[in-house]
Amino acid sequence: MSKHADSFLSHCITYTAHDSTGVTRFTGVQHEVNHTSETQLQGWKDVIHEMCTVYNECMVGATAGVADPRELVTKVKGMLTDHAEDQKKLVHLFREWKELHIKIGQEQFSALTLPEKESVDFFVWAGYCMHKDLNAVKGGNTCMQAWWGRNGVDGLVLLMNRDNAAAASGGPSTAQARAVHVSQGGAAKALALAGSVFRHKDNKKGQQDSLRFFLEAQLSYFSPWPDTSNTRYHSNCDGASEWLIHENLYVVYLKIIMDRKDARMHTNIKQNEMVCFSMWGQCISHPYFRTVRNSSGNILDLGPLHNWLITHIKKLIDNIELVFSMDATYETATFDGKPFERPESVYII
């Protein structure tokens, strides 16, 4: 399993212990010169070589035998990564590398039993469940925005930066057309902008410190804005819920600290899109995360769970009143039938 952030890559290995339980071990963080799949594969080669070297140096004189990196590679049965294209390519490269190290002739292979053949050939790739939800939210947002044009409805208000706003206001021109083309709008953009103000990914920027004092004075407690500036998993859904619950407070706060450009961001926020993000998080994202985290098996055992998830989503599509009617309850609206994560947002919606 690998996960990258900035120019560092962390590695973990999961294996079956002597008592048949699954064990996951952290195998180090490496600094990578880039995020290419080839560089990441080399990182795995270095990790495996270092592990075997350290083992052999520690076991000199022991009867346990020598650890051979080539043999270890052939024992790898799969990889768990996110759904990014560089990770999919990494899995493909790793599998090719593994097959290069299988030292068994066709005649010997043919003599193996079926279970032995399956054991030699077996290799599976699986992606993070949290990333599945992120892709679902992104895909849903794309479809939601495309709906406006297909149905002849006025689209999203563009949230332009200062330069593009100036170009767009200058009358028909190439610059105006380009400013409109490159500008984005909608709830996802608004939430990202809100994150850059309320909780900037660079703690030297943003207004997170003053916001803390403001909210503590108003609410007697502080709950940080979801990490939309970093586009963390389900952060847009949580950000939409937070905005719906405390909109009046954030409006007052924006009036206090915003300049003209940032103030315009508030007036363009689309409430209907915020509702979609928030309700997806309440009915699907959080219940799905809870179910996955409470699962006692591994990711290969989650096929029935995902079939169940698809069935639940189709049920909500067929009967949206299960979510939005005045007598709707979490028992029928949420994927796991458990209480909403932020019931206040549901009541407001």
Side-chain angles (χ1 to χ4, degrees), residues 14 54 66 109 137 217 222 255 292 334 338-339:
T14 299
V54 172
V66 177
F109 183 81
V137 172
F222 172 67
K255 290 179 179 178
V292 169
T334 65
K338 295 181 179 179

Side-chain angles (χ1 to χ4, degrees), residues 182-193:
V182 301
S183 297
Q184 297 178 316
K189 179 64 175 178
L191 289 166
L193 291 173

Side-chain angles (χ1 to χ4, degrees), residues 40-49 52 68-76 79 89-103 123:
Q40 295 178 53
L41 176 64
Q42 184 60 50
W44 270 112
K45 291 180 178 180
D46 294 342
V47 166
I48 291 174
H49 180 77
C52 291
D68 188 334
R70 295 169 298 180
E71 182 179 357
L72 192 152
V73 172
T74 65
K75 295 182 181 298
V76 176
M79 296 186 73
K89 183 179 179 181
L90 170 63
V91 172
H92 177 73
L93 293 175
F94 195 102
R95 183 168 188 170
E96 287 185 340
W97 179 44
K98 167 185 165 73
E99 291 174 351
L100 287 174
H101 286 292
I102 294 178
K103 304 290 187 178
F123 189 88

